[in-house]
Amino acid sequence: MAATLLLAIVYVAFVGLGLADGAFGVAWPAMRAELGAPLAAAGAVSLVAGACSTASSVASGRVLGRLGTPRLVVLSFALTSLALAGFALAPAPVALLLLAVPLGLGGGAVDAGLNHHVARFYSSRHMNWLHCAWGLGAALGPLILAARLANGGWRAGYATLSLAQLGVTAILLATLRLWPREAPPARAAAAASQARPW
Amino acid sequence: MPTGAEGGSAAAKQAAPPRLRPLAFVVAAAGLVLAFLAVAPDQDLGWNLPVAILGYLLATIAILDGLGTLDGDPTARDGGAVPAPDPSPPLPDTPATGRRDATGAEPAVAADVGRSAEPGADEAPVPFPWLRLIELASAGAGCFAALRLAVMGALPWPRLSAALLVTSTFLWVVVAVFRVAAMLAPGAARARPLLRRHGFWLIAIISGLYLPRLGSFTLVDPWETHYGEVAREMLVRGDWITLWWAQDGLFFSKPPLDFWLQGIAFSLLGVQTAPDRVLEGVARGLEPGPEWAARFPGFLAALLGAYLLYRGVASAWGRRAGLIAGLLLATMPYWFFLARQSMTDMPYAAPLAASLGLCLIGFGTEPEARARLYPIRLGTRVITPSAYHLFAGALLMVVLPQLVYLASRNLTWLFATEPRLFFRLHPDAFLVGSGGHNCGLPGNQACALLWPRSEGILAQPAVTALGFAALTGLLLAATRNERRRQRLAFLGAWLVVALSVLGKGAPGLVIPLFTIACFLLASGRLRDLDRLELAPLVLILAVVVLPWFVQSYLRHGWPFLDRLLFHDMYKRAFVHVHDTNAGADTSLRYYVAQLGYGTFPWSGLAALGLVSGLRARPADGAWPPQAAALLRLWFVTAFSLFTVSLTKFHHYALPATPPLAALAALVVDRALGDGRPRAGWRRIAYGAAALGAATALLGAIHYARASRLDGLVVEGSPGAPCWPVATAAFALGLGLAFALPRLWPRADAARDPSEDAALAAIALLACPLLALVGRDLVATIGGLPGPTRLMHLFIYNYERPWPPTLDFAPALLAFTVVATVLTGLLIVPAARRHAATLLLAVGVLFTAWSVNVYLVAAAPHWGQRETIATYYRRRQGPEEPILAYQLNWKGENFYTGNRIAVFVSDSDAFKAHVAALRERGRRVIFVATEHRRVKNLERDLGPVRRLERLISPAQNNKFALVRVEL
């Protein structure tokens, strides 16, 4: 039961993980108009976020070893939620560049952490579906932002995404005890033993 | 250097002066330069205030380090930074014993600010808590982001999400502060973890009650919008000394603390203060919440006041009594309503409550007991912060911004004018007229740049800043060796007293000083006069209060003093000035009645707690009975001051509530008896059952009268009684109430019969008193609907009609009946502790209902947020202006950012303005007015294409908005 519940939570987390990924492109035209940024600045923000994501993915092994997957995932979601709230409040383009750092670090770490957990405890079938859930989030993010652009503006859009990420953080925080520590749950271990690479 | 006439202990006299650290002063200078650069620009750059705060923080820490105060106990200096052991016993959960020491002083049961002395507390230096500080910074960032998003109104489901986010992140900050403290004092944290700390529960309960809907309803006219508008103009005019607003012009009536706090909150939390911007976001689908920023400082002040009252009462009677005192204060209508009103009253009453708490600690502490040091290893150094640093740090954070700001009045960094980025040295000058390029609107004073009345080099702000800086240096030099808990408590008390004076003027000084003088005389403790730190009191008042007063006098001369000191302080006290009590009885019974309503449902116990001599448990002559005398004197002073004053408003009696709450808490504490429910699930179950029983019983009575819980009157009725629900709720409530004795069985067999009798007598007398107060709140007496009396505790015009669309009498009847019955049950020894617990639950539920249902439903009829928001929703753009017609409240100014032409009584000017708009091709205008003046408006407008009322009396029974097609 606990393993199933945890799996459902991981699905929700993957949806949350995807939310912010496609949103920036939708919001950027409105953002640059209000903040007075050149069109090309979007590249710089994406570059910083991407570089930080890569860096945190590279370092994820060590961090996972120190913190463990559940705590890393909770911290990373909290970080991305704060960063998205910062996007909603950004007074200038330079703030976006600064906020791209925690956004990238959090996104990269949570990506690595969740993938590590699923690869270790669940079958590759779940990995496929979980990435489908990420895709669902990546599709929902721009939709949410577009809806809020029409009613409140891009800041309201990022505030909504931040709130959604915070909701995921709260769910993860409330269910920290469900996460396996050393040995995988019996069902998950059995499933893992039957997993085949594809 | 010891302070006070006594000169301190021998140890203090022999103390070597702390080693000065010149490098730290260089850092302090850098911090001050940073702050100066942030406040000197001639325009708001968005980052000014946060950078300035960072500079002040840096300078404060560096100054304290530079003075050598972080290098251990100066009286135990032996070349190292070894802290003195803490000699005091722990603060008791249960009452103090009241022993006297050899010197005749009281036992050292008091806690200093920030002290958590516990047996086994660690004395060894701890590592610097970097990680914990990062966690605290994250929590602060989260809370800050939540508040900014709430102010911006960008969150989905804005009221619900703001309520959840702000409350949860604020509690996260509280928890993070504890975790930092736990790193500094691991022994104390182990001995009493967070969830066993009474102070934490007090903060959590108050935050949970006050925060969720703090900013989700309109600012109430006229006080909140008036003071909010002064703060808004202060920001857009860039002048924090000369206060100005549209309807009065120069505003000298109140000292500046409330406006400064609101200004800081507006700036940090991103309120759009420019003209036409405050609520403009509603046109883009946002729900701007400037109310969050306006009220948050008042909430913090109320929280701090209640917390320090808890500490004070706990130092004399134990933590449980302290917790109950804080809880009672927080659940009194005076306190919780004014904590949600951005008026000048909470910024002056909360420091008074804090000073009362600190005085209780000070008088109850053994004179030579030393404050605990918290040694922290920082690289190769060991630093030792203590309660002294809390006092000195707070002092510097209050004084430095004033001094740096004064200095910046003579040297401006040019951003808006040429030559850009250069500095311009100039004599002081100030602007009158509305800021943000908002000059020329009817109803506004013409804009002008004026020169101060006092000229010459000595009248320049930068020069006066130097003088106050010298006084601050003297104060710091005089107190930097002070580590005695008693002295630090008094120093802290004087700092908050100074803030209180800066909040509302003379009463902030008169109440505490007169009370303390009477107390010393009455209790025969004149020897304590030497320990009161009176010389530092004078210096603290000088450096905290005087900079603004002196500079305002130098700018405006006699009219400033005449208005503030003579008209708004002296004349309000001794001449009948400017109140709305025509025909009302303003004799002794005026505040007796208001205190009855303002302390409901504790009115009966508060009155009896005041006059009873209960709590004689410790030996006669011990500190607790004297502390009770101090509380009584404090109340009598405050009550007398406001009763003698000829000018009266209902909310003036607010400073009398903290001692009342503390005295009532002593009764409730004794009613609870000794011991507590056994550990574990029983405690949680007991609390939950009490809360459930109280809720069910209240619901039962409410549903027996009306079915609607929100108080709305639909089709002339608040809903027919619903007897099945009432019966079921009653049965559930009784069932839960009868379960209480099983969860907390009676254990205190050896009860004191005299205390039993006293408690029974108190309950017997309190019961009818409470019933009388409740009757006034429920029934219509003299044409005044009872529920109006709660609103009258904080509004201006007591003649305003109660909205016929609201009926809260059933809810108030339920609270009255349940609270009265429970107070009556205190007579029965076997039921006493459970009745007391249920009363506490009723108090909490009454507060939750009052601030989340009553106030949120009633406030829209006393405010203009929805009126002005409707204007922004409906207008096509700024080319469709808004006018105020025969309207002299203040919401029209605040919510439009003063982009409104105001015509209070001049019909000809109004007609001329409308004609001019017609000539300029304006086709649509909006007019804010009162419903009863719409007929006059139609007459003065003459023939128009269309006139549409956009706000109905059901939405707002006072203010109307009319759309006019010319």
Side-chain angles (χ1 to χ4, degrees), chain B residues 61-85:
Chain B
I61 295 168
I63 288 171
L64 294 179
D65 190 27
L67 289 170
T69 65
L70 287 167
D71 295 331
D73 187 341
T75 56
R77 197 176 303 279
D78 57 0
V82 181

Side-chain angles (χ1 to χ4, degrees), chain A residues 82 85 88-89 148 151-152 155-156 159-160 163 166, chain B residues 142 145 148-149 152 154-156 161 165 284-286:
Chain A
L82 261 180
L89 298 166
R148 294 293 295 185
N151 184 22
R155 291 184 188 277
T160 308
L163 197 67
L166 196 67
Chain B
R148 276 198 76 124
L149 289 172
M152 188 195 288
L155 291 162
S161 10
L165 274 182
R284 291 178 281 119
L286 299 172

Side-chain angles (χ1 to χ4, degrees), chain B residues 91-92 109-118 192 197-200 202-203 304-319 321-323 325-326 353-354 356-362 374 390 485 623:
Chain B
L91 193 63
V109 296
D112 64 3
V113 182
R115 184 181 71 91
S116 307
E118 300 288 351
R192 274 193 327 123
R197 289 190 172 256
H198 298 65
F200 168 74
L202 179 66
I203 291 173
L304 187 70
Y307 179 76
L308 283 175
L309 182 71
Y310 148 73
R311 295 295 301 243
V313 173
S315 72
W317 290 282
R319 288 193 185 94
L323 172 63
L356 173 59
L358 288 166
C359 284
L360 285 171
I361 292 171
Y374 296 87
L390 268 186
R485 286 210 305 273
W623 165 235

Side-chain angles (χ1 to χ4, degrees), chain B residues 36 83 93 102 124 134 226 278 365 513 577 583 619 650 666 736 744 858:
Chain B
F36 180 85
D93 275 345
I134 290 171
H226 181 180
V278 176
T365 301
L513 292 195
V577 175
H650 291 186
L666 302 185
L736 287 170
W744 187 3

Side-chain angles (χ1 to χ4, degrees), chain B residues 151-224:
Chain B
V151 167
M152 188 195 288
L155 291 162
W157 312 288
R159 290 180 183 176
L160 177 64
S161 10
L164 290 173
L165 274 182
V166 173
T167 311
S168 55
T169 51
F170 183 79
L171 286 174
W172 183 22
V173 171
V174 175
V175 172
V177 168
F178 169 79
R179 283 162 65 86
V180 172
M183 281 291 287
L184 302 184
R190 271 197 303 275
R192 274 193 327 123
L194 180 68
L195 296 183
R196 286 181 54 200
R197 289 190 172 256
H198 298 65
F200 168 74
W201 284 111
L202 179 66
I203 291 173
I205 292 170
I206 294 178
S207 304
L209 287 171
Y210 288 10
L211 266 180
R213 301 190 78 177
L214 185 73
S216 61
F217 60 94
T218 179
L219 295 182
V220 173
D221 272 286
W223 309 116
E224 283 198 287

Side-chain angles (χ1 to χ4, degrees), chain B residues 663-756:
Chain B
L663 289 165
L666 302 185
V667 177
V668 176
D669 183 50
R670 286 321 308 151
L672 283 171
D674 296 329
R676 56 188 175 189
R678 270 175 281 170
W681 66 270
R682 276 175 189 273
R683 261 186 235 170
I684 299 169
Y686 185 80
L691 207 59
T695 310
L697 291 171
L698 290 166
I701 296 171
H702 189 282
Y703 275 106
R705 299 280 303 205
S707 61
R708 291 192 68 98
L709 287 172
D710 56 10
L712 278 180
V713 174
V714 179
E715 294 176 355
S717 159
C722 188
W723 286 103
V725 176
T727 310
F730 189 69
L732 177 67
L734 276 189
L736 287 170
F738 279 111
L740 292 177
R742 290 175 175 276
L743 294 164
W744 187 3
R746 207 164 143 184
D748 49 342
R751 287 197 322 272
D752 179 356
S754 66
E755 187 174 277
D756 259 358

